[in-house]
């Protein structure tokens, strides 16, 4: 059987729909999703509710929402950044979202 290739925009839409559930549970969260290139999706969540939660637990929290996406879509995630609003200016990784560098792919 030949796998059906999902349009890249469809993958971003699926991720956004999935993360709407997170936004409903965390109304002050700001979520950004962008495609860096044809095989790379980057996700940033800025949420005051993440304060006091260590990095590993933050990732477990978000993966609880993302885990039901198909494996081929999950494999496109290359960057998941979870910050509190206070840490955004100090985060070097945040610069990839504020000033993305175009991919050569």
């Amino acid at each position: 059987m030949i796998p059906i290739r999902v349009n890249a925009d469809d993958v971003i839409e699926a991720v956004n729909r999935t993360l709407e559930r997170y936004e409903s549970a965390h109304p002050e969260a700001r979520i950004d999703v962008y495609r860096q290139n044809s095989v790379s999706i980057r996700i940033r969540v800025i949420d005051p509710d993440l304060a006091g939660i260590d990095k590993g637990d933050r990732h477990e929290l978000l993966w609880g929402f993302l885990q039901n996406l198909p494996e081929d879509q999950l494999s496109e995630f290359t960057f998941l950044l979870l910050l509190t609003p206070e840490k955004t200016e100090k985060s070097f990784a945040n610069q990839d979202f504020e000033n993305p560098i175009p991919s050569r792919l």
Side-chain angles (χ1 to χ4, degrees), residues 22 26 29-30 44-55 57-59 61-62 81-86:
Y22 183 91
H26 302 268
R30 175 181 161 203
R44 173 179 66 179
V45 176
I46 301 172
D47 185 359
D49 292 342
L50 297 174
I53 301 174
D54 69 43
K55 289 180 184 181
D57 289 339
R58 289 177 184 189
H59 281 266
L61 174 66
L62 199 69
L81 183 61
L82 307 170
L83 298 170
T84 61
E86 297 78 25

Side-chain angles (χ1 to χ4, degrees), residues 6 19 30 32-33 43-46 50 52 72 84 88 101-102:
V6 178
L19 292 176
R30 175 181 161 203
D32 299 295
V33 179
I43 301 170
R44 173 179 66 179
V45 176
I46 301 172
L50 297 174
D72 62 328
T84 61
T88 56
I101 298 171

Side-chain angles (χ1 to χ4, degrees), residues 20-76:
E20 283 175 358
R21 292 181 16 247
Y22 183 91
E23 283 182 311
S24 292
H26 302 268
E28 293 184 50
R30 175 181 161 203
I31 300 174
D32 299 295
V33 179
Y34 80 93
R35 179 172 291 286
Q36 183 185 32
N37 58 50
S38 63
V39 295
S40 176
I41 294 174
R42 293 178 168 213
I43 301 170
R44 173 179 66 179
V45 176
I46 301 172
D47 185 359
D49 292 342
L50 297 174
I53 301 174
D54 69 43
K55 289 180 184 181
D57 289 339
R58 289 177 184 189
H59 281 266
E60 282 185 35
L61 174 66
L62 199 69
W63 279 109
F65 290 87
L66 296 170
Q67 68 186 356
N68 293 324
L69 288 168
E71 189 173 323
D72 62 328
Q73 293 178 6
L74 292 174
S75 70
E76 295 188 33

